[in-house]
Amino acid sequence: MFPRRGQGIDAAPPSLLVESVLKTGRMAHDMQQRCCIVRENKNLLRKINQIYRTKGFLNVDYSFRAHQSLHSENQERMARRIERENRILFERIVQRKPTVDSRAPRKLLIPRTSNNDEHRMLVDFWERSGRWLCQLAIEVCPDARESFLPCSGKLFRIYAGVCLVFEGGHSVRQDEESSLDTGTLSSVSKGSVVRQILNRKEYVLVALSHLEGLSDAQFLGRVAAMGSKDQLDLLNSYGSKYGRLLEPIRFEIVQKKRR
């Protein structure tokens, strides 16, 4: 007898996949975790066994003996001896006279090498914090007037690699301008002290490099050759391209010799 064909209800269970029943990824992860736990337990048992066999210590050198006596009187004697040695060393340090005093102004001793010392001017330079920088010895020309620099003041500009301006912006009257022996200087070497008049204003400057073609200028003198290169380089390091000083610097004439 054949079954009847027609409409009916499918009551058969759905087909199951293997991945939905067996979680292979999770099983592999659990297996790795169990292997790690077993390995750690073996290492722990190995260390416990080693601790039992070595009386509870690991990596201990039992042959080591401290080279210090536990006797209290001996320790006190050693402490007194160390204290006495430290006191003697401290007294030697305190009684030692300092060779350099940073608080006192340092003077640069320039030996006399020519008869031009009678026309020499010593100028000290200081930072804003009162730290002494250097000293320039300027050999003044005999025909230069004595008061071309004030006794003290602040540097006006330092054009890096060009010139150092002591003062600037002082107006010059027409009669004073005609009395000054100014002209065009074709060549000015490094370290030359020059007075220049621009737009009826007077500037006193020191050349930091070789300059050419200074108009309305007058040669006043020259920085002494001894140590002048290092000192000018030190002052040049405080300048900038447009003349603005990185740190305010003041100058002071400490000695002026004229006939």
Side-chain angles (χ1 to χ4, degrees):
M1 183 178 180
F2 295 97
R4 290 180 303 174
R5 296 180 179 180
Q7 297 180 357
I9 298 175
D10 185 7
S15 59
L16 298 178
L17 299 177
V18 179
E19 288 79 4
S20 61
V21 179
L22 299 176
K23 304 293 184 180
T24 55
R26 184 171 183 178
M27 291 174 63
H29 178 70
D30 293 343
M31 185 61 65
Q32 292 177 0
Q33 190 173 5
R34 291 179 183 178
C35 292
C36 181
I37 294 173
V38 170
R39 184 168 59 253
E40 291 178 355
N41 289 337
K42 287 183 179 180
N43 293 332
L44 180 60
L45 291 175
R46 188 181 300 110
K47 291 182 180 180
I48 292 174
N49 188 13
Q50 187 177 2
I51 290 173
Y52 278 118
R53 288 187 291 104
T54 56
K55 299 181 181 180
F57 295 96
L58 291 175
N59 301 325
V60 177
D61 186 9
Y62 293 98
S63 62
F64 175 77
R65 293 293 182 270
H67 301 284
Q68 183 179 3
S69 176
L70 299 179
H71 199 276
S72 60
E73 294 181 359
N74 189 14
Q75 291 183 356
E76 291 178 0
R77 287 195 298 267
M78 185 180 300
R80 286 195 297 269
R81 179 177 60 82
I82 295 174
E83 183 181 0
R84 184 169 60 255
E85 293 177 356
N86 292 338
R87 188 182 299 110
I88 295 174
L89 181 60
F90 176 74
E91 291 177 356
R92 288 179 57 189
I93 295 175
V94 172
Q95 294 177 2
R96 179 73 176 180
K97 294 182 179 180
T99 56
V100 177
D101 188 3
S102 60
R103 295 172 297 179
R106 295 178 293 176
K107 302 298 181 181
L108 181 63
L109 300 178
I110 302 177
R112 296 186 177 184
T113 57
S114 62
N115 296 329
N116 201 24
D117 291 338
E118 297 181 355
H119 300 273
R120 178 166 291 184
M121 180 187 301
L122 300 181
V123 184
D124 277 347
F125 294 90
W126 305 78
E127 274 188 352
R128 179 173 55 183
S129 58
R131 187 170 71 94
W132 184 83
L133 288 179
C134 62
Q135 183 183 84
L136 289 181
I138 301 176
E139 298 176 354
V140 184
C141 293
D143 55 347
R145 66 181 185 182
E146 186 176 357
S147 60
F148 68 89
L149 274 183
C151 296
S152 61
K154 288 186 178 181
L155 291 182
F156 182 66
R157 293 285 189 273
I158 298 180
Y159 296 93
V162 181
C163 64
L164 177 151
V165 184
F166 278 100
E167 280 196 332
H170 297 285
S171 300
V172 180
R173 297 193 302 270
Q174 188 174 2
D175 54 348
E176 293 181 355
E177 185 178 357
S178 60
S179 63
L180 296 176
D181 186 13
T182 59
T184 301
L185 300 179
S186 59
S187 178
V188 178
S189 60
K190 181 179 180 180
S192 300
V193 183
V194 180
R195 175 195 288 116
Q196 189 176 17
I197 298 177
L198 295 175
N199 299 327
R200 292 188 178 182
K201 291 186 178 181
E202 182 181 2
Y203 300 90
V204 178
L205 55 92
V206 178
L208 299 177
S209 63
H210 184 76
L211 304 178
E212 295 182 357
L214 291 181
S215 60
D216 295 334
Q218 179 186 7
F219 182 76
L220 299 178
R222 190 183 306 276
V223 177
M226 180 174 294
S228 62
K229 182 178 180 181
D230 297 338
Q231 296 163 8
L232 291 178
D233 291 342
L234 175 61
L235 294 174
N236 186 29
S237 63
Y238 285 84
S240 61
K241 180 180 180 181
Y242 299 101
R244 183 179 179 86
L245 275 69
L246 302 180
E247 182 75 17
I249 299 176
R250 59 184 180 89
F251 66 90
E252 180 180 0
I253 299 177
V254 296
Q255 189 175 5
K256 184 188 295 183
K257 294 184 178 181
R258 298 285 293 179
R259 286 180 181 177

